[in-house]
């Protein structure tokens, strides 16, 4: 149970919001308790334990239905052509209002694929090696 959670109060029977109330001893906070926002009755933590056990049972059923640990993980490899868009090209000039190609001096779409593509990361790595 946590503050702000919506539950049905076991005391008043209304749908309510859980409120966290501080227990004070003078001006010192000695503890906290969960109370119903409508009737101010203290809510016990036992409901949370029952809910967590039922949710773990539901997770176990779902894992059994989906195959559990026996599921093969699929590796997705987009291939070499995946990064060949203008957004990853070394010739892309980024301006706040438009994207330009340094070769053609034209406005480009970042998803456009060009035959004159030069990978930005590879070019930066080769430039760092030359320094």
């Amino acid at each position: 149970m946590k503050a702000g959670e919506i539950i049905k109060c076991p005391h008043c029977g209304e749908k309510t919001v859980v409120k966290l109330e501080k227990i004070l001893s003078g001006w010192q906070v000695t503890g906290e308790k969960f109370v119903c926002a409508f009737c101010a009755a203290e809510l016990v933590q036992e409901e949370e334990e029952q809910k967590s056990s039922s949710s773990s049972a539901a997770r176990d059923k779902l894992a059994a239905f989906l195959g559990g640990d026996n599921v093969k993980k699929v590796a997705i490899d987009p291939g070499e052509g995946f990064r060949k868009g203008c957004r990853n090209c070394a010739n892309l000039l980024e301006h706040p209002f438009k994207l330009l190609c340094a070769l053609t001096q034209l406005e480009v779409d970042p998803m456009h694929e060009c035959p004159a593509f030069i990978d930005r990361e590879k070019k930066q790595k080769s430039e760092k090696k030359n320094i």
Side-chain angles (χ1 to χ4, degrees), residues 48-60:
E48 181 180 343
E49 293 171 6
Q50 292 173 355
K51 187 184 283 186
S52 66
S53 65
S54 66
S55 65
S56 65
R59 276 193 300 259
D60 293 341

Side-chain angles (χ1 to χ4, degrees), residues 38-54:
F38 291 130
C39 66
E42 186 173 352
L43 303 171
V44 248
Q45 295 285 340
E46 294 174 12
E47 296 173 8
E48 181 180 343
E49 293 171 6
Q50 292 173 355
K51 187 184 283 186
S52 66
S53 65
S54 66

Side-chain angles (χ1 to χ4, degrees), residues 10-112:
H11 302 283
C12 64
E14 294 292 323
K15 194 173 183 182
T16 183
V17 176
V18 176
K19 183 178 167 186
L20 183 64
E21 193 173 279
K22 298 187 186 304
I23 302 170
L24 298 174
S25 173
W27 290 101
Q28 295 238 328
V29 176
T30 57
E32 297 176 331
K33 65 180 179 179
F34 293 111
V35 295
C36 172
F38 291 130
C39 66
E42 186 173 352
L43 303 171
V44 248
Q45 295 285 340
E46 294 174 12
E47 296 173 8
E48 181 180 343
E49 293 171 6
Q50 292 173 355
K51 187 184 283 186
S52 66
S53 65
S54 66
S55 65
S56 65
R59 276 193 300 259
D60 293 341
K61 286 181 184 177
L62 182 62
F65 176 71
L66 295 176
D69 297 332
N70 299 331
V71 178
K72 293 181 182 177
K73 297 193 181 196
V74 178
I76 300 174
D77 182 22
E80 280 292 316
F82 174 69
R83 293 184 39 90
K84 291 194 176 188
C86 287
R87 70 180 186 279
N88 298 318
C89 184
N91 296 317
L92 181 69
L93 297 174
E94 296 184 40
H95 185 271
F97 301 108
K98 55 184 170 180
L99 300 173
L100 299 170
C101 177
L103 297 177
T104 62
Q105 302 299 319
L106 298 174
E107 188 172 349
V108 294
D109 177 34
M111 300 305 288
H112 178 77

